Amino acid sequence: MKVFHNITALQAFLNASTSVGFVPTMGSLHQGHLSLIKNAIAQNDTVVVSIYVNPTQFDNSADLEKYPRDLTQDVALIETLGSNKIVVFAPSTQEIYNTNITSKPYNFDGLEHQMEGKFRAGHFDGVGTIVKKLFDIVKPQKAYFGEKDFQQLQIIKKLVEKEQLNIKIIPCSIFRENDGLAMSSRNQRLTKVHREVAPFIYKTLQEAKKQFGTKSATKVTTWVYQQFESNPLLDLEYFTIANEANLKTVVRKQKNAKYRAFIAVFAEEIRLIDNIEL
Ligand code: PAF
């Protein structure tokens, strides 16, 4: 499989492609990423998988430092798909940012201030900056994003709308372990005991979904906070039930609105997020 580290070489290669699908990643790939790549293979002649740990989206330098990086292992995992449509783009920070490692301030119409935005200062400016840069480099017709980062997905759609980019954003369902834990590159950093208890997050979301059928968002939210109080191994950062379109917390349920429950939990210093359609 071709692995490009250089923008000019990647673009020269892509010149010959009729349709390009793009799967941006930060590496440390798992089955969830492979499911995005499989979708892209089915819909495009060429699939670019970028592998780049973007420094500007980390609000915590220890988290950036500890983020797992293993290009050889990632490429080997992609190769198990046995497709000759895929190329990998694994640039250096110099190639992406030159010497100016900063993010652009974005206005995503308030989407950036909800949930993750409240707890991770500057995170979505960093995501917007890198995704716009990668879109400009790869120039895909379609780009694939997982619903596990649902807020990110909505923000990328807003980026495409605001920058008037001719790119179709394809949302892909959350991929889960057999015990329900949402797949994440961070799961491999969990201790044995935290890995054992982590499925509690999705179980709680499922129960919250059931309760939301008959109870108010406030009642369900209070119940979720109580569940985590009695679970000393998991530290709930936030749980909220929000409108899918604007990501604002529900005050009163409305008939035609679509709602989703969102959660962020610390298992020691490992931060896990998940969400469920209600
Ligand atoms: O979801 C991710 O892995 C990252 O936020 C992304 C979209 C690759 C940008 O760095």
Side-chain angles (χ1 to χ4, degrees), residues 16-263:
S17 306
T18 42
S19 70
V20 176
F22 179 39
V23 183
T25 81
M26 297 208 298
S28 190
L29 303 181
H30 48 69
Q31 294 301 321
H33 293 111
L34 292 193
S35 76
L36 302 188
I37 300 171
K38 279 184 202 160
N39 284 348
I41 292 170
Q43 297 179 345
N44 302 276
D45 294 334
T46 303
V47 174
V48 178
V49 180
S50 67
I51 297 181
Y52 176 62
V53 181
N54 170 40
T56 65
Q57 70 188 76
F58 285 80
D59 56 328
N60 176 330
S61 54
D63 200 20
L64 171 61
E65 225 166 82
K66 285 187 191 152
Y67 205 88
R69 296 162 172 87
D70 189 338
L71 183 60
T72 311
Q73 192 178 304
D74 286 339
V75 170
L77 188 64
I78 298 172
E79 274 172 345
T80 63
L81 292 174
S83 167
N84 58 8
K85 289 185 174 182
I86 311 168
V87 297
V88 168
F89 178 49
S92 64
T93 290
Q94 158 86 27
E95 187 72 2
I96 293 291
Y97 286 99
N98 202 345
T99 52
N100 184 21
I101 309 172
T102 54
S103 50
K104 184 180 155 186
Y106 277 98
N107 172 355
F108 295 118
D109 292 347
L111 293 175
E112 72 277 27
H113 301 312
Q114 307 299 325
M115 301 179 299
E116 294 296 287
K118 288 186 187 149
F119 294 91
R120 303 181 70 189
H123 171 67
F124 289 118
D125 284 340
V127 171
T129 302
I130 185 62
V131 171
K132 174 69 168 57
K133 278 177 185 285
L134 291 170
F135 280 172
D136 288 346
I137 294 166
V138 177
K139 300 182 178 56
Q141 280 77 51
K142 295 192 176 88
Y144 298 77
F145 289 85
E147 286 187 337
K148 183 169 88 65
D149 296 296
F150 192 85
Q151 184 171 14
Q152 169 174 281
L153 168 69
Q154 298 299 68
I155 280 176
I156 301 302
K157 284 185 189 162
K158 185 63 79 179
L159 175 80
V160 165
E161 178 195 313
K162 290 212 159 190
E163 302 272 352
Q164 300 183 332
L165 305 174
N166 194 11
I167 300 172
K168 192 166 188 292
I169 302 301
I170 315 280
C172 303
S173 311
I174 300 177
F175 218 76
R176 297 186 180 279
E177 303 285 355
N178 288 339
D179 57 15
L181 179 64
M183 287 206 185
S184 162
S185 310
R186 290 162 196 254
N187 293 354
Q188 57 175 280
R189 290 170 53 205
L190 292 168
T191 63
K192 192 167 175 284
V193 64
H194 287 99
R195 176 62 191 83
E196 272 165 19
V197 81
F200 181 77
I201 301 168
Y202 183 53
K203 285 205 180 82
T204 310
L205 285 181
Q206 284 176 304
E207 181 56 31
K209 179 181 168 101
K210 256 192 229 155
Q211 293 192 16
F212 190 65
T214 54
K215 292 186 181 155
S216 71
T218 315
K219 283 218 166 101
V220 177
T221 304
T222 307
W223 177 83
V224 170
Y225 274 85
Q226 282 164 355
Q227 298 312 296
F228 278 89
E229 267 160 32
S230 53
N231 194 326
L233 288 169
L234 298 174
D235 191 8
L236 180 60
E237 185 173 52
Y238 69 76
F239 170 85
T240 187
I241 295 179
N243 184 310
E244 277 195 4
N246 57 25
L247 303 181
K248 287 191 178 150
T249 298
V250 186
V251 181
R252 185 163 301 156
K253 287 186 214 174
Q254 275 161 357
K255 258 204 173 154
N256 294 323
K258 286 179 91 181
Y259 298 111
R260 208 169 257 265
F262 297 87
I263 196 163

